[in-house]
Amino acid sequence: MQLQENKDVVNVSDISKGVENVKISLVDEKGKGKLPKFTYMSQNVVYQNAYMQISLARISDEDCCSSCSGDCLSSEIPCACARETGGEFAYTKHGLLKEEFLDDCMRVMQNPKDHHFVFCKDCPLERSKDAYVLDVCKGHLIRKFIKECWIKCGCDMNCGNRVVQRGLRCNLQVFMTGEGKGWGIRTVEKLAKGTFICEYVGEILTNTELYDRNLQINGSGSGGHTYPVTLDADWGSERLLKDEEALCLDATFCGNVARFINHRCNDANLIDIPVEVETPDRHYYHLAFFTNREVGAMEELTWDYGIDFEDDGHPIKAFACYCGSAVCRDRQAKRHTRRRSR
């Protein structure tokens, strides 16, 4: 990693230190930002107590396409891995998300209906807030999934149904936004709708560990906490999830370029979609970012974190939003607060 720094410009040639397929540069043209301190890694790692079970024995023949060969997308009949996406592959032969699949994902995220939610009888997230006074589960969104082929499948690594696991391919740059948002990421090249950008990589924690970590960070006054991702897809199962089975990802200390993606309310140009690779269930999965529209060169990439700015009881305190969106939820929440105080 080469660093060039003076009073006006900070320039890092590759923050990934060679672990990604492409270099990810970092630029601060005004010299006003502090170089972020974190460990770059390209794959999720278990922090301490998170319970995960990834093994070949758990993947039955029904959960893979062992009889396939070459590229599954070239076959006239969709393979067994396509079952999770309604019998059709989520990807085109050019490696983009199919427009219909992407539009369905967008509708569920932006305008969910009652049947898109499940409610826990004993919610792990509410339990992590207060083990003695439990609030009613606020509901967990049933997400559309992508099921990629994996090592037990007969196809090869160039199969069109292996996009996320092949890693980052886009030319990205971390830059100082100068808009109150700190660091952000932008694409150096024009991107088509449905392009895979990167995976959200971080430490795999239990919800209890995340809650304790958040208290320590807030108490230290150090700030700089990245917004964590809750892996809640399996909370609707009939079994009671233990505290160590309710998982989340935190990229505060260890993560990849995705930790720099800024929030934007409602009209962000990225969408996060769960992707099954090593596991046949939805307890643990990869969270992948795709463009939901065409994105121009040097345009900032943004993602809606799904924050409820009026939820004072959430274990992660909401930040002041500088997204600039005409439909910013933080501004709306503050207007509601002012009206109630009159």
Short mmCIF file of all heavy atoms in Angstrom, two decimals, residues 191-241:
data_model
loop_
_atom_site.label_atom_id
_atom_site.label_comp_id
_atom_site.label_asym_id
_atom_site.label_seq_id
_atom_site.Cartn_x
_atom_site.Cartn_y
_atom_site.Cartn_z
N LEU A 191 -21.76 2.14 -14.39
CA LEU A 191 -22.23 0.82 -14.01
C LEU A 191 -23.66 0.61 -14.48
O LEU A 191 -24.51 1.49 -14.35
CB LEU A 191 -22.17 0.64 -12.48
CG LEU A 191 -20.79 0.77 -11.83
CD1 LEU A 191 -20.93 0.71 -10.32
CD2 LEU A 191 -19.85 -0.32 -12.34
N ALA A 192 -23.92 -0.57 -15.01
CA ALA A 192 -25.26 -0.91 -15.47
C ALA A 192 -26.14 -1.28 -14.28
O ALA A 192 -25.66 -1.63 -13.19
CB ALA A 192 -25.20 -2.08 -16.44
N LYS A 193 -27.43 -1.20 -14.46
CA LYS A 193 -28.40 -1.62 -13.44
C LYS A 193 -28.22 -3.11 -13.18
O LYS A 193 -28.08 -3.91 -14.10
CB LYS A 193 -29.83 -1.34 -13.93
CG LYS A 193 -30.91 -1.73 -12.94
CD LYS A 193 -32.30 -1.40 -13.50
CE LYS A 193 -33.41 -1.79 -12.54
NZ LYS A 193 -34.76 -1.48 -13.08
N GLY A 194 -28.20 -3.49 -11.88
CA GLY A 194 -28.06 -4.90 -11.52
C GLY A 194 -26.63 -5.38 -11.38
O GLY A 194 -26.37 -6.58 -11.27
N THR A 195 -25.66 -4.44 -11.37
CA THR A 195 -24.24 -4.81 -11.24
C THR A 195 -23.91 -5.15 -9.79
O THR A 195 -24.27 -4.42 -8.88
CB THR A 195 -23.34 -3.65 -11.70
OG1 THR A 195 -23.60 -3.34 -13.06
CG2 THR A 195 -21.86 -4.01 -11.53
N PHE A 196 -23.19 -6.26 -9.59
CA PHE A 196 -22.70 -6.60 -8.25
C PHE A 196 -21.54 -5.67 -7.90
O PHE A 196 -20.59 -5.53 -8.67
CB PHE A 196 -22.23 -8.05 -8.19
CG PHE A 196 -21.44 -8.39 -6.95
CD1 PHE A 196 -22.02 -8.29 -5.70
CD2 PHE A 196 -20.12 -8.79 -7.03
CE1 PHE A 196 -21.31 -8.58 -4.53
CE2 PHE A 196 -19.39 -9.09 -5.89
CZ PHE A 196 -19.99 -8.99 -4.64
N ILE A 197 -21.63 -5.03 -6.74
CA ILE A 197 -20.60 -4.10 -6.31
C ILE A 197 -19.62 -4.79 -5.36
O ILE A 197 -18.43 -4.92 -5.64
CB ILE A 197 -21.22 -2.87 -5.61
CG1 ILE A 197 -22.14 -2.13 -6.59
CG2 ILE A 197 -20.12 -1.93 -5.12
CD1 ILE A 197 -21.47 -1.61 -7.82
N CYS A 198 -20.11 -5.20 -4.21
CA CYS A 198 -19.26 -5.85 -3.22
C CYS A 198 -20.15 -6.48 -2.16
O CYS A 198 -21.35 -6.26 -2.12
CB CYS A 198 -18.29 -4.86 -2.57
SG CYS A 198 -19.09 -3.54 -1.63
N GLU A 199 -19.55 -7.27 -1.33
CA GLU A 199 -20.23 -7.87 -0.19
C GLU A 199 -19.98 -7.02 1.05
O GLU A 199 -18.95 -6.34 1.14
CB GLU A 199 -19.69 -9.29 0.03
CG GLU A 199 -20.28 -10.04 1.19
CD GLU A 199 -19.63 -11.40 1.40
OE1 GLU A 199 -18.97 -11.89 0.46
OE2 GLU A 199 -19.75 -11.96 2.51
N TYR A 200 -20.92 -6.99 1.98
CA TYR A 200 -20.68 -6.35 3.27
C TYR A 200 -19.91 -7.34 4.13
O TYR A 200 -20.43 -8.39 4.51
CB TYR A 200 -21.99 -5.96 3.96
CG TYR A 200 -21.80 -5.12 5.20
CD1 TYR A 200 -21.95 -3.75 5.17
CD2 TYR A 200 -21.45 -5.70 6.43
CE1 TYR A 200 -21.77 -2.96 6.30
CE2 TYR A 200 -21.25 -4.93 7.56
CZ TYR A 200 -21.42 -3.58 7.49
OH TYR A 200 -21.22 -2.80 8.62
N VAL A 201 -18.66 -7.02 4.44
CA VAL A 201 -17.79 -7.92 5.20
C VAL A 201 -17.49 -7.31 6.56
O VAL A 201 -17.25 -6.10 6.67
CB VAL A 201 -16.47 -8.17 4.44
CG1 VAL A 201 -15.45 -8.89 5.32
CG2 VAL A 201 -16.75 -8.99 3.17
N GLY A 202 -17.52 -8.14 7.58
CA GLY A 202 -17.21 -7.67 8.92
C GLY A 202 -17.03 -8.82 9.89
O GLY A 202 -16.92 -9.98 9.50
N GLU A 203 -17.02 -8.49 11.17
CA GLU A 203 -16.97 -9.51 12.21
C GLU A 203 -18.37 -10.03 12.48
O GLU A 203 -19.32 -9.25 12.55
CB GLU A 203 -16.40 -8.93 13.50
CG GLU A 203 -14.95 -8.50 13.41
CD GLU A 203 -14.48 -7.85 14.70
OE1 GLU A 203 -14.75 -6.65 14.89
OE2 GLU A 203 -13.86 -8.55 15.52
N ILE A 204 -18.50 -11.34 12.62
CA ILE A 204 -19.78 -11.96 12.93
C ILE A 204 -19.93 -11.99 14.45
O ILE A 204 -19.15 -12.65 15.15
CB ILE A 204 -19.87 -13.38 12.36
CG1 ILE A 204 -19.56 -13.38 10.86
CG2 ILE A 204 -21.24 -13.99 12.63
CD1 ILE A 204 -19.38 -14.76 10.28
N LEU A 205 -20.90 -11.24 14.95
CA LEU A 205 -21.14 -11.15 16.39
C LEU A 205 -22.54 -11.64 16.72
O LEU A 205 -23.42 -11.69 15.85
CB LEU A 205 -21.03 -9.69 16.87
CG LEU A 205 -19.67 -9.03 17.01
CD1 LEU A 205 -19.12 -8.63 15.65
CD2 LEU A 205 -19.77 -7.79 17.89
N THR A 206 -22.74 -12.01 17.98
CA THR A 206 -24.10 -12.21 18.45
C THR A 206 -24.70 -10.84 18.71
O THR A 206 -23.97 -9.84 18.86
CB THR A 206 -24.15 -13.04 19.74
OG1 THR A 206 -23.55 -12.27 20.80
CG2 THR A 206 -23.37 -14.34 19.59
N ASN A 207 -26.02 -10.76 18.80
CA ASN A 207 -26.65 -9.48 19.08
C ASN A 207 -26.27 -8.96 20.46
O ASN A 207 -26.17 -7.75 20.67
CB ASN A 207 -28.17 -9.62 18.96
CG ASN A 207 -28.63 -9.58 17.52
OD1 ASN A 207 -28.50 -8.57 16.84
ND2 ASN A 207 -29.12 -10.70 17.04
N THR A 208 -26.04 -9.88 21.39
CA THR A 208 -25.61 -9.47 22.73
C THR A 208 -24.22 -8.86 22.68
O THR A 208 -23.95 -7.83 23.31
CB THR A 208 -25.61 -10.67 23.69
OG1 THR A 208 -26.93 -11.23 23.73
CG2 THR A 208 -25.21 -10.25 25.10
N GLU A 209 -23.30 -9.48 21.92
CA GLU A 209 -21.95 -8.94 21.79
C GLU A 209 -21.97 -7.57 21.13
O GLU A 209 -21.22 -6.67 21.52
CB GLU A 209 -21.08 -9.90 20.97
CG GLU A 209 -20.70 -11.17 21.71
CD GLU A 209 -19.95 -12.14 20.82
OE1 GLU A 209 -20.21 -12.15 19.60
OE2 GLU A 209 -19.12 -12.90 21.34
N LEU A 210 -22.83 -7.40 20.12
CA LEU A 210 -22.94 -6.11 19.45
C LEU A 210 -23.45 -5.04 20.41
O LEU A 210 -22.93 -3.92 20.43
CB LEU A 210 -23.87 -6.21 18.25
CG LEU A 210 -24.13 -4.89 17.52
CD1 LEU A 210 -22.85 -4.34 16.92
CD2 LEU A 210 -25.20 -5.04 16.46
N TYR A 211 -24.43 -5.39 21.23
CA TYR A 211 -24.98 -4.44 22.19
C TYR A 211 -23.90 -4.00 23.18
O TYR A 211 -23.74 -2.81 23.47
CB TYR A 211 -26.16 -5.08 22.93
CG TYR A 211 -26.86 -4.16 23.89
CD1 TYR A 211 -27.65 -3.11 23.43
CD2 TYR A 211 -26.73 -4.33 25.27
CE1 TYR A 211 -28.30 -2.26 24.30
CE2 TYR A 211 -27.38 -3.48 26.15
CZ TYR A 211 -28.17 -2.45 25.67
OH TYR A 211 -28.80 -1.60 26.54
N ASP A 212 -23.13 -4.97 23.69
CA ASP A 212 -22.05 -4.66 24.64
C ASP A 212 -20.97 -3.80 23.97
O ASP A 212 -20.45 -2.86 24.57
CB ASP A 212 -21.43 -5.94 25.19
CG ASP A 212 -22.39 -6.72 26.08
OD1 ASP A 212 -23.36 -6.11 26.58
OD2 ASP A 212 -22.17 -7.93 26.28
N ARG A 213 -20.63 -4.13 22.73
CA ARG A 213 -19.61 -3.36 22.00
C ARG A 213 -20.09 -1.93 21.79
O ARG A 213 -19.30 -0.98 21.95
CB ARG A 213 -19.31 -4.02 20.66
CG ARG A 213 -18.41 -3.19 19.76
CD ARG A 213 -18.09 -3.89 18.46
NE ARG A 213 -17.14 -4.98 18.64
CZ ARG A 213 -16.57 -5.65 17.64
NH1 ARG A 213 -16.88 -5.34 16.40
NH2 ARG A 213 -15.73 -6.63 17.88
N ASN A 214 -21.35 -1.76 21.45
CA ASN A 214 -21.88 -0.42 21.22
C ASN A 214 -21.84 0.42 22.48
O ASN A 214 -21.53 1.61 22.44
CB ASN A 214 -23.32 -0.53 20.70
CG ASN A 214 -23.88 0.83 20.31
OD1 ASN A 214 -23.31 1.53 19.49
ND2 ASN A 214 -24.99 1.20 20.92
N LEU A 215 -22.14 -0.19 23.63
CA LEU A 215 -22.07 0.53 24.90
C LEU A 215 -20.64 0.98 25.20
O LEU A 215 -20.41 2.10 25.66
CB LEU A 215 -22.59 -0.35 26.05
CG LEU A 215 -24.09 -0.63 26.08
CD1 LEU A 215 -24.42 -1.57 27.24
CD2 LEU A 215 -24.89 0.67 26.20
N GLN A 216 -19.67 0.12 24.91
CA GLN A 216 -18.26 0.46 25.16
C GLN A 216 -17.81 1.60 24.25
O GLN A 216 -17.13 2.53 24.70
CB GLN A 216 -17.38 -0.77 24.93
CG GLN A 216 -17.59 -1.87 25.97
CD GLN A 216 -16.80 -3.13 25.62
OE1 GLN A 216 -16.11 -3.18 24.61
NE2 GLN A 216 -16.92 -4.14 26.46
N ILE A 217 -18.19 1.55 22.98
CA ILE A 217 -17.78 2.59 22.03
C ILE A 217 -18.42 3.92 22.39
O ILE A 217 -17.76 4.96 22.40
CB ILE A 217 -18.14 2.17 20.59
CG1 ILE A 217 -17.27 0.98 20.16
CG2 ILE A 217 -17.94 3.34 19.62
CD1 ILE A 217 -17.61 0.43 18.80
N ASN A 218 -19.70 3.89 22.70
CA ASN A 218 -20.38 5.14 23.08
C ASN A 218 -19.82 5.71 24.37
O ASN A 218 -19.70 6.92 24.54
CB ASN A 218 -21.89 4.90 23.23
CG ASN A 218 -22.57 4.69 21.89
OD1 ASN A 218 -22.04 5.05 20.85
ND2 ASN A 218 -23.74 4.08 21.91
N GLY A 219 -19.45 4.82 25.30
CA GLY A 219 -18.91 5.27 26.58
C GLY A 219 -17.52 5.84 26.46
O GLY A 219 -17.13 6.75 27.21
N SER A 220 -16.76 5.37 25.44
CA SER A 220 -15.39 5.86 25.28
C SER A 220 -15.35 7.22 24.58
O SER A 220 -14.35 7.92 24.64
CB SER A 220 -14.56 4.86 24.46
OG SER A 220 -15.05 4.79 23.12
N GLY A 221 -16.46 7.53 23.89
CA GLY A 221 -16.51 8.81 23.17
C GLY A 221 -15.65 8.82 21.92
O GLY A 221 -15.38 9.87 21.35
N SER A 222 -15.21 7.64 21.47
CA SER A 222 -14.32 7.58 20.31
C SER A 222 -15.06 7.78 19.00
O SER A 222 -14.49 8.25 18.02
CB SER A 222 -13.59 6.22 20.28
OG SER A 222 -14.54 5.16 20.19
N GLY A 223 -16.36 7.44 18.96
CA GLY A 223 -17.14 7.62 17.75
C GLY A 223 -16.63 6.74 16.63
O GLY A 223 -15.86 5.81 16.83
N GLY A 224 -17.05 7.04 15.42
CA GLY A 224 -16.56 6.31 14.26
C GLY A 224 -17.15 4.93 14.09
O GLY A 224 -16.63 4.13 13.33
N HIS A 225 -18.23 4.63 14.77
CA HIS A 225 -18.84 3.32 14.67
C HIS A 225 -19.55 3.16 13.33
O HIS A 225 -20.32 4.02 12.93
CB HIS A 225 -19.85 3.15 15.83
CG HIS A 225 -20.26 1.73 16.06
ND1 HIS A 225 -21.08 1.06 15.20
CD2 HIS A 225 -19.96 0.87 17.05
CE1 HIS A 225 -21.29 -0.17 15.67
NE2 HIS A 225 -20.61 -0.30 16.78
N THR A 226 -19.25 2.09 12.61
CA THR A 226 -19.98 1.80 11.37
C THR A 226 -21.34 1.23 11.74
O THR A 226 -21.50 0.62 12.80
CB THR A 226 -19.23 0.79 10.50
OG1 THR A 226 -19.05 -0.43 11.24
CG2 THR A 226 -17.87 1.32 10.09
N TYR A 227 -22.33 1.42 10.86
CA TYR A 227 -23.66 0.93 11.19
C TYR A 227 -23.71 -0.57 10.93
O TYR A 227 -23.41 -1.04 9.83
CB TYR A 227 -24.73 1.65 10.36
CG TYR A 227 -26.07 1.65 11.04
CD1 TYR A 227 -26.34 2.54 12.07
CD2 TYR A 227 -27.05 0.73 10.69
CE1 TYR A 227 -27.55 2.53 12.73
CE2 TYR A 227 -28.27 0.72 11.34
CZ TYR A 227 -28.52 1.62 12.35
OH TYR A 227 -29.73 1.60 13.01
N PRO A 228 -24.05 -1.39 11.94
CA PRO A 228 -24.00 -2.84 11.80
C PRO A 228 -25.18 -3.38 11.00
O PRO A 228 -26.19 -2.72 10.81
CB PRO A 228 -24.06 -3.33 13.25
CG PRO A 228 -24.86 -2.27 13.95
CD PRO A 228 -24.48 -0.97 13.29
N VAL A 229 -25.02 -4.61 10.54
CA VAL A 229 -26.06 -5.30 9.77
C VAL A 229 -26.58 -6.46 10.61
O VAL A 229 -25.80 -7.28 11.10
CB VAL A 229 -25.49 -5.83 8.44
CG1 VAL A 229 -26.47 -6.77 7.77
CG2 VAL A 229 -25.15 -4.67 7.52
N THR A 230 -27.88 -6.52 10.77
CA THR A 230 -28.49 -7.63 11.50
C THR A 230 -28.87 -8.73 10.53
O THR A 230 -29.57 -8.47 9.54
CB THR A 230 -29.74 -7.15 12.26
OG1 THR A 230 -29.39 -6.07 13.11
CG2 THR A 230 -30.34 -8.28 13.08
N LEU A 231 -28.38 -9.95 10.77
CA LEU A 231 -28.72 -11.10 9.93
C LEU A 231 -29.96 -11.74 10.53
O LEU A 231 -29.86 -12.63 11.39
CB LEU A 231 -27.55 -12.09 9.88
CG LEU A 231 -26.22 -11.53 9.38
CD1 LEU A 231 -25.13 -12.60 9.42
CD2 LEU A 231 -26.36 -10.98 7.97
N ASP A 232 -31.14 -11.31 10.07
CA ASP A 232 -32.37 -11.72 10.74
C ASP A 232 -33.25 -12.63 9.90
O ASP A 232 -34.43 -12.79 10.18
CB ASP A 232 -33.17 -10.49 11.16
CG ASP A 232 -33.58 -9.63 9.98
OD1 ASP A 232 -33.16 -9.94 8.85
OD2 ASP A 232 -34.33 -8.67 10.18
N ALA A 233 -32.72 -13.23 8.86
CA ALA A 233 -33.58 -13.95 7.92
C ALA A 233 -34.19 -15.21 8.53
O ALA A 233 -35.23 -15.67 8.06
CB ALA A 233 -32.77 -14.33 6.68
N ASP A 234 -33.58 -15.80 9.54
CA ASP A 234 -34.07 -17.07 10.08
C ASP A 234 -34.85 -16.88 11.37
O ASP A 234 -35.20 -17.85 12.04
CB ASP A 234 -32.90 -18.03 10.32
CG ASP A 234 -33.35 -19.48 10.39
OD1 ASP A 234 -34.26 -19.85 9.64
OD2 ASP A 234 -32.80 -20.24 11.19
N TRP A 235 -35.14 -15.65 11.73
CA TRP A 235 -35.85 -15.42 12.99
C TRP A 235 -37.30 -15.85 12.93
O TRP A 235 -37.95 -15.95 13.96
CB TRP A 235 -35.76 -13.93 13.38
CG TRP A 235 -34.41 -13.56 13.85
CD1 TRP A 235 -33.27 -14.31 13.80
CD2 TRP A 235 -34.02 -12.33 14.45
NE1 TRP A 235 -32.21 -13.64 14.31
CE2 TRP A 235 -32.64 -12.40 14.72
CE3 TRP A 235 -34.69 -11.16 14.77
CZ2 TRP A 235 -31.94 -11.37 15.32
CZ3 TRP A 235 -34.00 -10.12 15.35
CH2 TRP A 235 -32.63 -10.24 15.63
N GLY A 236 -37.83 -16.09 11.76
CA GLY A 236 -39.21 -16.51 11.64
C GLY A 236 -39.40 -18.01 11.80
O GLY A 236 -40.51 -18.52 11.68
N SER A 237 -38.32 -18.74 12.05
CA SER A 237 -38.44 -20.19 12.22
C SER A 237 -39.18 -20.49 13.52
O SER A 237 -39.24 -19.68 14.44
CB SER A 237 -37.05 -20.84 12.25
OG SER A 237 -36.29 -20.35 13.33
N GLU A 238 -39.75 -21.67 13.59
CA GLU A 238 -40.55 -22.02 14.76
C GLU A 238 -39.71 -22.26 16.00
O GLU A 238 -40.18 -22.11 17.12
CB GLU A 238 -41.38 -23.28 14.44
CG GLU A 238 -42.41 -23.06 13.34
CD GLU A 238 -43.24 -24.29 13.08
OE1 GLU A 238 -42.99 -25.32 13.74
OE2 GLU A 238 -44.15 -24.23 12.22
N ARG A 239 -38.45 -22.61 15.83
CA ARG A 239 -37.61 -22.86 16.99
C ARG A 239 -37.18 -21.55 17.63
O ARG A 239 -37.12 -20.50 17.00
CB ARG A 239 -36.37 -23.68 16.61
CG ARG A 239 -35.41 -22.96 15.67
CD ARG A 239 -34.36 -23.91 15.13
NE ARG A 239 -33.44 -23.20 14.27
CZ ARG A 239 -32.29 -22.68 14.68
NH1 ARG A 239 -31.96 -22.75 15.97
NH2 ARG A 239 -31.48 -22.08 13.84
N LEU A 240 -36.88 -21.61 18.91
CA LEU A 240 -36.43 -20.44 19.66
C LEU A 240 -34.94 -20.25 19.45
O LEU A 240 -34.14 -21.12 19.77
CB LEU A 240 -36.73 -20.61 21.15
CG LEU A 240 -36.25 -19.49 22.07
CD1 LEU A 240 -36.98 -18.19 21.76
CD2 LEU A 240 -36.44 -19.86 23.54
N LEU A 241 -34.55 -19.12 18.88
CA LEU A 241 -33.13 -18.87 18.65
C LEU A 241 -32.44 -18.48 19.95
O LEU A 241 -32.93 -17.65 20.70
CB LEU A 241 -32.96 -17.74 17.63
CG LEU A 241 -33.27 -18.05 16.17
CD1 LEU A 241 -32.99 -16.83 15.32
CD2 LEU A 241 -32.47 -19.23 15.67
#
